[in-house]
């Protein structure tokens, strides 16, 4: 495309690169004080039992409203925070928020505890104090460590030399591990059996392909079978229609999340749904 556009195309490309760099620099500068200034907030999305519709867990999702830039989506600012190093402080902050909120839900429902998932970026795993920080935050919140699930993408686990030992140690201390967006990264398939994981999350692209045909269900079904063989908990992401939920159940998937059940929402908006549901066990240990 740039070849055909000639020098004009190159100029346009260059301008957009400069815009991107300026925007990233601005985001990085604003992010530096975002945490301390109270500009970050947390939403929770229920993970439900597909049979009953009851919430068994929540995924924690970060939001940033910058006074200067407005609402910035996590897909835009997380990569910037990873490069600037702000991800470490932000990561500790959201983990504390999540653990304390789930502890409050447990108290409000007479001790029944939903488990909570928190997304973790590969940069956080490189921090030499990460394991101690996580354990201190969990223990400080009073949440049993096995009610915390850390979500890591497949690519991050494969790429990071330190990822496997860090996750193995956390798992020994009781924390559980999920592979997020499973099937979309570099394939971790050849050593999945040796990874320290408890949960596989089927990426929403595969859920979106479900259309009642064997072809449409191929990847989802393969992931579910793989999970069953390895004794892992399977969670389907991005369920938007009841047809998808029904098909997932027929394929043997017990848990899912998506707009069909609830959009990510404020803790207060989820109080009734979370504290009234009968609880199930935390994800099975492989
Ligand atoms: P993710 O961890 O895979 O989170 C799921 C994303 O799918 C969320 O987007 C959620 O709002 C969205 N989603 C949920 N149900 C549906 C559905 O039915 N349909 C569609 N189309 N989307 C649905 P969100 O909140 O914009 O987050 C995007 C990504 O940003 C996350 O993907 C995660 O990788 C990252 N992220 C979010 N919060 C954090 C965080 O606290 N720390 C880190 N490191 N990354 C985070
Ligand atoms: Mg996630
Ligand atoms: Mg995901
Ligand atoms: Mg993702």
């Amino acid at each position: 495309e740039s070849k055909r556009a000639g020098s004009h195309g190159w100029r346009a490309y260059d301008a957009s690169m400069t815009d991107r760099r300026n925007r990233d620099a601005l985001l990085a500068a604003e992010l530096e004080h975002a945490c301390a200034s109270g500009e970050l907030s947390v939403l929770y999305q229920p993970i439900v039992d597909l049979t009953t519709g009851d919430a068994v867990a929540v995924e924690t999702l970060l939001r940033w409203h910058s006074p200067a830039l407005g609402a910035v989506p996590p897909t835009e600012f997380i990569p910037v925070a990873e490069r600037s190093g702000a991800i470490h402080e932000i990561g500790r902050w959201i983990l504390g928020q999540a653990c304390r909120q789930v502890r409050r839900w447990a108290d409000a429902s007479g001790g029944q505890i939903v488990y909570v998932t928190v997304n973790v970026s590969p940069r956080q795993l490189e921090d030499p104090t990460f394991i101690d920080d996580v354990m201190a935050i969990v223990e400080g919140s009073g949440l049993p460590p096995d009610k915390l699930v850390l979500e890591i993408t497949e690519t991050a686990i494969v790429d990071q030399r330190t990822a496997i030992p860090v996750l193995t140690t956390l798992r020994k201390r009781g924390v559980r591990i999920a592979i997020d967006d499973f099937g979309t990264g570099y394939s971790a398939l050849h050593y999945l059996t040796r990874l320290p994981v408890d949960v596989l999350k089927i990426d929403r692209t595969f859920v979106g392909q479900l259309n009642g045909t064997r072809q449409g269900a191929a990847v989802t079904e393969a992931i579910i079978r793989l999970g069953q063989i390895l004794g892992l908990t399977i969670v389907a992401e991005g369920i938007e229609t009841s047809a998808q939920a029904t098909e997932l159940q027929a394929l043997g998937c017990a848990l899912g999340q998506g707009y069909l059940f609830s959009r990510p929402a404020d803790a207060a908006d989820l109080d009734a749904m979370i504290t009234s549901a009968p609880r199930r066990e935390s994800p099975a240990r492989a």
Side-chain angles (χ1 to χ4, degrees):
E1 181 199 273
S2 57
K3 255 183 210 149
R4 229 177 350 156
S7 63
H8 184 73
W10 276 109
R11 212 162 27 235
Y13 175 73
D14 196 49
S16 77
M17 285 296 283
T18 307
D19 288 351
R20 183 71 255 166
R21 272 200 298 270
N22 288 342
R23 169 90 176 161
D24 282 0
L26 189 59
L27 288 173
E30 292 298 317
L31 264 177
E32 213 168 303
H33 56 77
C35 206
S37 318
E39 297 168 19
L40 300 178
S41 59
V42 187
L43 298 182
Y44 298 92
Q45 185 178 39
I47 296 172
V48 307
D49 178 327
L50 294 177
T51 312
T52 62
D54 291 329
V56 300
V58 288
E59 176 171 8
T60 310
L61 294 161
L62 193 55
R63 292 294 178 266
W64 178 27
H65 189 93
S66 156
L69 304 164
V72 186
T75 46
E76 186 178 11
F77 74 79
I78 297 281
V80 176
E82 288 175 338
R83 283 194 293 274
S84 77
I87 193 69
H88 300 293
E89 185 190 1
I90 292 172
R92 287 188 293 268
W93 179 80
I94 194 159
L95 189 62
Q97 294 291 313
C99 291
R100 287 191 295 275
Q101 178 57 52
V102 172
R103 186 65 236 173
R104 280 196 289 277
W105 273 323
D107 293 342
S109 59
Q112 293 195 314
I113 303 185
V114 69
Y115 69 90
V116 63
T117 80
V118 176
N119 293 285
V120 169
S121 82
R123 280 294 305 277
Q124 291 175 267
L125 301 180
E126 293 168 3
D127 179 350
T129 68
F130 181 70
I131 295 169
D132 290 341
D133 291 346
V134 169
M135 295 316 297
I137 292 167
V138 179
E139 280 157 17
S141 74
L143 191 73
D146 69 346
K147 299 298 178 181
L148 173 65
V149 176
L150 300 179
E151 295 194 4
I152 328 273
T153 63
E154 198 175 6
T155 307
I157 297 181
V158 176
D159 275 358
Q160 285 301 316
R161 197 195 297 270
T162 53
I164 293 176
V166 168
L167 299 178
T168 301
T169 303
L170 281 165
R171 227 168 147 255
K172 280 194 191 123
R173 304 209 187 160
V175 173
R176 290 161 198 264
I177 309 297
I179 303 187
D180 203 354
D181 306 340
F182 189 74
T184 62
Y186 307 145
S187 178
L189 216 51
H190 72 289
Y191 61 113
L192 183 63
T193 52
R194 290 187 282 120
L195 290 180
V197 298
D198 306 282
V199 180
L200 293 183
K201 297 192 76 174
I202 305 175
D203 192 73
R204 71 165 185 265
T205 41
F206 305 123
V207 173
Q209 287 164 8
L210 296 174
N211 59 4
T213 68
R214 289 224 66 189
Q215 188 80 7
V219 177
T220 295
E221 187 172 358
I223 296 172
I224 293 168
R225 294 290 163 263
L226 194 58
Q228 288 170 339
I229 292 164
L230 298 175
L232 303 174
T233 297
I234 304 291
V235 177
E237 294 190 283
I239 304 174
E240 295 184 353
T241 68
S242 50
Q244 289 166 349
T246 306
E247 192 169 347
L248 283 161
Q249 258 188 284
L251 292 169
C253 180
L255 303 177
Q257 62 187 109
Y259 297 165
L260 175 66
F261 306 105
S262 172
R263 294 202 169 238
D266 279 343
D269 291 334
L270 293 173
D271 273 345
M273 183 174 182
I274 303 298
T275 56
S276 69
R279 275 307 93 69
R280 297 198 343 175
E281 275 305 286
S282 282
R285 270 263 137 104

